[in-house]
Amino acid sequence: MNRPLIGCIADDFTGATDLANNLVRAGMRCVQTIGVPAGPLDASADAVVVALKTRTVPAAEAVAQSLAALRWLQAQGVQQIYFKVCSTFDSTPAGNIGPVTEALMDALDAPFTIATPAFPDNQRTVFKGHLFVGDQLLSDSGMRHHPLTPMTDANLVRVMQAQCRRRVGLIDHRTVAAGEAAIRARRAALQAEGVGIAIVDAVSNDDLLRLAPAIQDLPVLCAGSGVAIGLPGNFGLAPSAQTARLPAPRGAQAIVSGSCSVATNGQVAEFIARGGAALAIDPLQVGAGVPVAEAALDWARPRLAQGPVLVYSTAAPEAVRAIQARLGVETAGALVESCIARIARGLVDSGVRQLVVAGGETSGACVQALGITQLAIGGQVDPGVPWCHAQPACAPEGLHLALKSGNFGTPDFFTKAFSTLAEAEAA
């Protein structure tokens, strides 16, 4: 088996598949592990992504888990480390993006790195150091209402500097547009000024492709998944349909959603408007000890033969705030994640073999409940969301999974996901 070229550390599970998706599309065979494996990688891959659940844990814990992932990746012989963060740079002044980035730099003795969440295919762009979500500044987007990491400042230099010991600077759009030599010159100038981390502007895929060769020599990168589109070319790899091939799909179809993002709210509404079978669960009932998961499974099982079913806790921001006020932010989130994870496991035990999960934290809880330790990465449903395949003990013949970040996907994502999987098999 070949040694992987790029070793990636993702701070949540949907972010990991988002990154793996872009690497696969650009020509790399990619394996995603759930947590840090206990032994060597047991598959051939050009890239390996270690999926952690560290986005909102205490910073010290995120650092410790990320360094453990780094040590394992180094043992696999990787040539470059990629710390994958959310395309909306989800974090607080206490971290975790800054502390983890600096810990990785310290461990690798790296004097300089870049950071950019730009992902133009999903309308995440960085201009003059400011992050835009579509046409809105990050601070004007739905992310300002995020229940755990409300993003109220779009200036990424300022956001990153609040979390870092090192000085943070900027490689602006004019420099990026000028290409590799200009980017490298700007890197050198920033380092001479004592800057250790540079936010990088990118408003198009062309910007990311120009950036890639200019960062080939950096030991560690901090980025969303967008930067990945240019990295396989640094190793002489090109896109190939074979890198995304998965086993044929089978079994019943289901969706579970714990995300409360604007995008997921729209996807839930679209699925219901199309006549899809859907059941909302009430977090307050979960908190009161009502057997919500069992009731949801009783509702779902007789409907599985008729098509996809959806079980969701998705709600508007004001409803989320009301629930948090009653239960507490962390308690509300943990209770809902645990409940949906039990539902996901029950659905798989009932014959579901094609499962869509919406929400980063929800995906992490579901993957753990299903006992999944490794995923093969397949074709894309929407930018940032591929189908994956696993063979956990609860579904040894195989389980297809699409782990969707809350903010990603078109309004018809839930319906499109299953048709995309069927079309890939037909092709």
Side-chain angles (χ1 to χ4, degrees):
M1 291 188 291
N2 66 305
R3 289 178 178 269
L5 302 168
I6 298 178
C8 310
I9 302 167
D11 66 358
D12 86 338
F13 288 9
T14 57
T17 54
D18 170 14
L19 172 58
N21 174 60
N22 274 350
L23 291 170
V24 167
R25 290 174 61 231
M28 284 187 150
R29 296 169 302 155
C30 192
V31 171
Q32 177 178 326
T33 71
I34 307 304
V36 181
L41 184 67
D42 61 358
S44 291
D46 302 306
V48 58
V49 183
V50 178
L52 302 179
K53 202 165 179 284
T54 54
R55 183 168 296 168
T56 57
V57 303
E61 185 178 341
V63 166
Q65 290 189 40
S66 300
L67 290 176
L70 171 64
R71 290 189 292 271
W72 182 83
L73 289 167
Q74 288 176 309
Q76 311 316 303
V78 302
Q79 297 180 29
Q80 188 173 49
I81 296 295
Y82 191 133
F83 172 41
K84 197 279 175 189
V85 300
C86 188
S87 66
T88 46
F89 223 63
D90 299 21
S91 53
T92 70
N96 294 337
I97 296 174
V100 171
T101 299
E102 291 200 294
L104 295 172
M105 292 176 72
D106 290 343
L108 293 165
D109 196 24
F112 184 87
T113 194
I114 59 95
T116 182
F119 189 7
D121 281 353
N122 257 334
Q123 302 186 67
R124 310 294 193 263
T125 55
V126 183
F127 181 70
K128 295 188 176 180
H130 289 71
L131 178 55
F132 285 79
V133 177
D135 294 329
Q136 293 182 309
L137 284 166
L138 174 67
S139 49
D140 294 330
S141 75
M143 281 301 298
R144 70 188 184 277
H145 298 306
H146 193 284
L148 299 178
T149 53
M151 299 304 293
T152 58
D153 189 353
N155 185 323
L156 298 187
V157 175
R158 193 159 53 216
V159 170
M160 193 69 163
Q161 189 64 78
Q163 302 179 27
C164 293
R165 306 184 313 272
R166 291 169 172 81
R167 282 186 60 194
V168 179
L170 175 67
I171 299 176
D172 72 7
H173 65 286
R174 288 182 293 266
T175 301
V176 174
E180 178 183 357
I183 296 169
R184 287 184 176 275
R186 178 60 174 159
R187 277 178 48 186
L190 288 171
Q191 283 188 256
E193 296 169 9
V195 171
I197 301 169
I199 300 296
V200 182
D201 280 354
V203 298
S204 68
N205 282 350
D206 287 342
D207 286 339
L208 296 175
L209 293 173
R210 282 187 284 264
L211 174 64
I215 57 176
Q216 184 174 6
D217 59 318
L218 293 179
V220 59
L221 313 173
C222 171
S225 67
V227 168
I229 68 172
L231 298 186
N234 288 344
F235 299 94
L237 299 174
S240 167
Q242 293 303 311
T243 61
R245 192 165 295 282
L246 295 177
R250 65 181 74 191
Q253 303 166 329
I255 307 143
V256 293
S257 175
S259 168
C260 294
S261 72
V262 172
T264 303
N265 270 287
Q267 289 153 358
V268 168
E270 170 78 8
F271 182 84
I272 293 171
R274 286 172 177 260
L279 176 70
I281 64 172
D282 183 349
L284 293 178
Q285 287 190 330
V286 177
V290 175
V292 171
E294 292 75 6
L297 290 168
D298 288 342
W299 170 87
R301 289 187 185 106
R303 292 171 169 82
L304 289 174
Q306 281 74 57
V309 300
L310 164 65
V311 180
Y312 67 99
S313 66
T314 300
E318 57 274 16
V320 174
R321 286 193 292 270
I323 293 164
Q324 290 175 335
R326 290 276 299 276
L327 301 177
V329 174
E330 292 185 7
T331 299
L335 286 171
V336 171
E337 286 171 27
S338 176
C339 179
I340 293 181
R342 292 198 304 276
I343 293 169
R345 176 59 187 262
L347 288 168
V348 171
D349 289 342
S350 301
V352 167
R353 292 297 180 268
Q354 302 171 51
L355 179 66
V356 174
V357 185
E361 298 298 317
T362 306
S363 292
C366 289
V367 165
Q368 290 173 337
L370 291 166
I372 293 170
T373 59
Q374 186 168 298
L375 292 166
I377 309 300
Q380 175 173 282
V381 181
D382 270 336
V385 192
W387 274 105
C388 308
H389 188 263
Q391 292 180 284
C394 61
E397 72 277 24
L399 171 67
H400 285 80
L401 284 166
L403 306 176
K404 188 194 83 69
S405 171
N407 294 303
F408 284 3
T410 55
D412 63 343
F413 179 88
F414 293 150
T415 302
K416 183 199 301 184
F418 299 112
S419 62
T420 299
L421 187 59
E423 290 164 7
E425 169 59 17

